[in-house]
Amino acid sequence: MTVEVSVIATSSLGDRSYLASDGRVAIVVDPQRDIDRVLHLAGAQGARITHVVETHIHNDYVSGGRDLARITGAHYLVAAADEVGFERVPVADGDVVPVSDELRLRVVGTPGHTFHHLSYVLDEASDGGWTPVGVFTGGSLLFGTTGRTDLLGQQHAHELAHHQHASARKLTDLLPDGAQVWPTHGFGSFCSASQADAPESTIGREKEANPVLRLAADRFVTETLAGLDAYPAYYAHMGVANAAGPAPVDLTPVARADAGELRRRIAGGEWVVDLRQRKAYAASHLAGTVSLGLDGPMSTWLGWLIDWGVPITLLAETPDQVADARRELVRIGIDRPAAQATGAPEQWATERSEVRGLAVADFAALAAAQAGDVPAGLPAPQVVLDVRMTNEWRAGHIDGAVHVPLPDLPARLADVPAGTVWVHCGSGYRATAAASLLANAGRDVVLIDDLFARAEAAGVRMAPTA
């Protein structure tokens, strides 16, 4: 095979971009906003980027396509039917785009994730003809699933789900079983109807494993729509930014905040985010901060929890961690944090009383407490709060627990019953964020830092399943 297709993964958002090269020229598909990663990869392969393509106007991240095309002089391919505020090469179903003597793209209309969604078949030259190597499917045919169909509004979800079913079958009719499938979504992205079931796939495998290709249209639509959970609130801003044409990224350093400024920002109701790992946060943190560790999907949850546009200050152990967080945040359109500080909680406080910790337990401790044997050093649980998403709750939950999904918690703190709250999620990451919000609201809280999959085996009483 002449062509080499490289994956540029953005695991924090659950997305993949691609660089396809014949060793001389390259195509970039659905690039994230921090395009230096793409430029570095192309340079390492000695390839000149000549084409940048978008499968759709993205809802989960700000695209780097326009800026990458501007810097490289590449052709920027965007669906002709999409109304955008910038110059592009308009393409539509049936178009053939020559790339080099060795490569070409065929444009395939695959509505479903959006109305004007496109997929791109990558062909390579062979024996005087062309052979399909694979297809860049964006938010259409994913690994074992499809892109969700409700991001343009619930009023369109049913119609788009029918389009999604037809589009998947269009691709399998068009391509041989051995053709690779290269989706943008499905690796943790909320743009996916469910999560990827494999690290890679082919058309043939999807025919065997993917419900969209195994179910009749009406059943696929019913099951897909029934399985959709909430998606991040910041998605409302992504499509608007991408249609208008995102500005170039500015990752120059932001102002440093001293302890006094941090206290003023917290007192003023601003978000001061502690990026350290949750165990470090639980051991010691600056009162009033929110835990969203850089070791998890920080940008997704921060973008979902905040009121859009509120000033954000970042706290981390090192400047490199702040830089990494800023790279994550520009991908969802949070360009310039208000301030930053590095070091340790003691350096961020104006007095020792501002440094606090969180009580931490596991599910074995909760089981013991439920049996009347509260572990030493922990307050008895008067409320068990589950901050997982609705589909997780429906799949199984603790008997008597209160359910408030993490994205709803800032607006629903008053809905959490009085008393000491033991809070959990699926792994501990979201529970730590929730515990910080509860503590900031003056609640007595215990963080359950444990895997929910261990709860029943640990002896926790579970609610009867329907």
Side-chain angles (χ1 to χ4, degrees):
M1 186 170 70
T2 302
V3 62
E4 178 181 356
V5 178
S6 301
V7 175
I8 305 166
T10 304
S11 58
S12 57
L13 293 179
D15 290 320
R16 289 181 175 181
S17 305
Y18 299 90
L19 185 141
S21 169
D22 64 2
R24 297 180 298 107
V25 300
I27 305 157
V28 178
V29 182
D30 289 344
Q32 294 273 340
R33 200 171 176 208
D34 50 328
I35 60 173
D36 56 333
R37 294 186 297 166
V38 182
L39 293 168
H40 177 79
L41 180 60
Q45 296 184 4
R48 179 171 59 90
I49 297 171
T50 58
H51 293 75
V52 178
V53 306
E54 303 281 10
T55 57
H56 60 293
I57 301 297
H58 302 284
N59 287 289
D60 65 328
Y61 67 86
V62 180
S63 172
R66 182 188 182 208
D67 199 29
L68 182 61
R70 178 185 63 83
I71 287 174
T72 61
H75 301 288
Y76 188 29
L77 278 57
V78 178
D82 280 323
E83 295 183 8
V84 296
F86 50 85
E87 293 296 320
R88 43 75 191 269
V89 177
V91 289
D93 180 61
D95 287 349
V96 177
V97 182
V99 176
S100 70
D101 291 341
E102 301 293 333
L103 300 178
R104 74 174 187 182
L105 292 171
R106 280 184 285 148
V107 184
V108 184
T110 49
H113 188 48
T114 65
F115 280 105
H116 307 136
H117 189 285
L118 301 174
S119 297
Y120 296 85
V121 176
L122 180 65
D123 291 332
E124 68 173 349
S126 61
D127 299 327
W130 294 94
T131 300
V133 178
V135 57
F136 299 105
T137 57
S140 184
L141 183 66
L142 312 184
F143 295 166
T145 184
T146 58
R148 63 190 300 161
T149 64
D150 60 337
L151 297 183
L152 301 183
Q154 285 292 340
Q155 69 273 27
H156 301 302
H158 189 272
E159 178 186 359
L160 284 172
H162 273 283
H163 285 314
Q164 192 76 295
H165 185 268
S167 291
R169 290 167 182 255
K170 179 179 181 179
L171 288 174
T172 57
D173 289 344
L174 181 66
L175 294 165
D177 285 356
Q180 294 290 312
V181 177
W182 296 304
T184 300
H185 304 311
F187 313 96
S189 170
F190 283 90
C191 272
S192 175
S194 60
Q195 292 315 303
D197 67 345
E200 59 184 31
S201 193
T202 62
I203 291 292
R205 182 188 177 279
E206 292 308 310
K207 286 180 178 178
E208 297 177 354
N210 200 315
V212 73
L213 299 171
R214 297 176 61 84
L215 300 177
D218 287 345
R219 185 177 172 192
F220 166 77
V221 170
T222 299
E223 292 190 5
T224 296
L225 297 183
L228 296 176
D229 210 333
Y231 56 84
Y234 68 83
Y235 278 21
H237 306 280
M238 302 298 96
V240 175
N242 286 324
V249 169
D250 178 6
L251 290 175
T252 56
V254 297
R256 298 182 63 86
D258 61 17
E261 182 180 347
L262 293 176
R263 178 49 46 199
R264 289 191 295 273
R265 290 188 178 278
I266 291 171
E270 296 183 14
W271 279 68
V272 179
V273 179
D274 191 324
L275 299 167
R276 297 174 303 144
Q277 206 272 347
R278 63 180 182 269
K279 293 186 185 303
Y281 182 90
S284 176
H285 63 268
L286 178 63
T289 59
V290 178
S291 173
L292 286 169
L294 197 56
D295 58 325
M298 176 274 298
S299 59
T300 293
W301 293 112
L302 179 57
W304 201 338
L305 289 166
I306 62 170
D307 292 327
W308 199 251
V310 69
I312 295 168
T313 297
L314 303 176
L315 305 181
E317 292 168 337
T318 68
D320 284 348
Q321 291 169 343
V322 172
D324 288 344
R326 293 194 56 211
R327 181 178 290 270
E328 296 281 358
L329 291 173
V330 297
R331 294 172 181 157
I332 65 165
I334 300 176
D335 284 14
R336 299 294 294 173
Q340 61 164 310
T342 55
E346 292 73 21
Q347 298 169 273
W348 304 331
T350 57
E351 54 186 61
R352 185 67 183 86
S353 63
E354 294 173 357
V355 178
R356 301 176 185 172
L358 287 175
V360 180
D362 57 16
F363 282 114
L366 177 60
Q370 285 181 329
D373 185 16
V374 180
L378 293 174
Q382 294 167 291
V383 181
V384 175
L385 178 64
D386 184 338
V387 296
R388 297 174 303 151
M389 301 302 289
T390 298
N391 281 353
E392 294 173 283
W393 166 267
R394 289 173 178 163
H397 57 269
I398 294 170
D399 190 28
V402 174
H403 181 228
V404 180
L406 177 60
D408 299 342
L409 187 59
R412 293 185 57 193
L413 286 167
D415 293 345
V416 180
T420 299
V421 182
W422 286 42
V423 58
H424 80 88
C425 63
S427 66
Y429 185 90
R430 289 171 289 176
T432 310
S436 65
L437 292 169
L438 289 161
N440 293 346
R443 301 297 300 270
D444 293 326
V445 60
V446 174
L447 163 65
I448 301 176
D449 188 8
D450 200 354
L451 296 174
F452 182 73
R454 298 174 180 165
E456 188 169 12
V460 175
R461 292 195 302 269
M462 306 301 289
T465 54

